[in-house]
Amino acid sequence: MSDQVLNILKLSLLGLVYLFFARVLWAVWSEVKTPKARPIQQRQAAPQQPVAANAHAGTIEQQRPPSAPKGRKPPKGRGGKAGRLVILEPKHRRGMAVAIAGEITLGRDDTCTIAIQDDSYVSTLHLRIYDYDGQPMVEDLGSTNGTFHNGNRLHGSKLLQPGDRIQVGTTVIEAQ
């Protein structure tokens, strides 16, 4: 082979090596960079009323309470009982409050009461908060990365007191 053909092959191989490294760097960068901040979608919690079956359609319907006035936070709990959940972290969600009424679910799924889609450490259906004899309980629903209650990994259900902190992925929630 002539020197010109060898030089063309060398330059082609060098170009392919640079393309390979560029692709590797792009893949690493896309994994490391923080995701775009999207607000969480809040849905009103279901009331503690029984589920009514629709005999004609063969479906189950849940009745939802009317939504609270916009711009007002749910009231704090009284008598040693938590009445709302307030998000402390991450910064772009700080201050969002959800009343503790009925059953509250948290996860990446759109059907959750609190849907957090921009946190890869949150499972599709991560945790639920429910009423047990008039006291709110928090329960991990078998999430991959776990739920932390006051810094300790949550196994089963625990009573939720005012001041307790729940961590799910990078989200920190305080019961008030």
Side-chain angles (χ1 to χ4, degrees), residues 18-58:
Y18 279 118
L19 285 174
F20 172 75
F21 282 121
R23 174 67 176 114
V24 168
L25 287 174
W26 179 82
V28 168
W29 176 256
S30 65
E31 289 293 322
V32 171
K33 73 176 181 175
T34 57
K36 292 180 184 175
R38 294 187 308 184
I40 62 174
Q41 298 173 355
Q42 176 184 354
R43 290 185 175 54
Q44 196 66 17
Q48 297 174 343
Q49 300 172 357
V51 176
N54 185 346
H56 296 294

Side-chain angles (χ1 to χ4, degrees), residues 158-170:
K158 280 210 171 168
L159 186 63
L160 195 60
Q161 300 286 342
D164 284 356
R165 291 194 177 188
I166 303 166
Q167 182 170 356
V168 176
T170 59

Side-chain angles (χ1 to χ4, degrees), residues 10-23:
K10 281 194 254 182
L11 290 175
S12 299
L13 180 63
L14 186 62
L16 288 173
V17 168
Y18 279 118
L19 285 174
F20 172 75
F21 282 121
R23 174 67 176 114

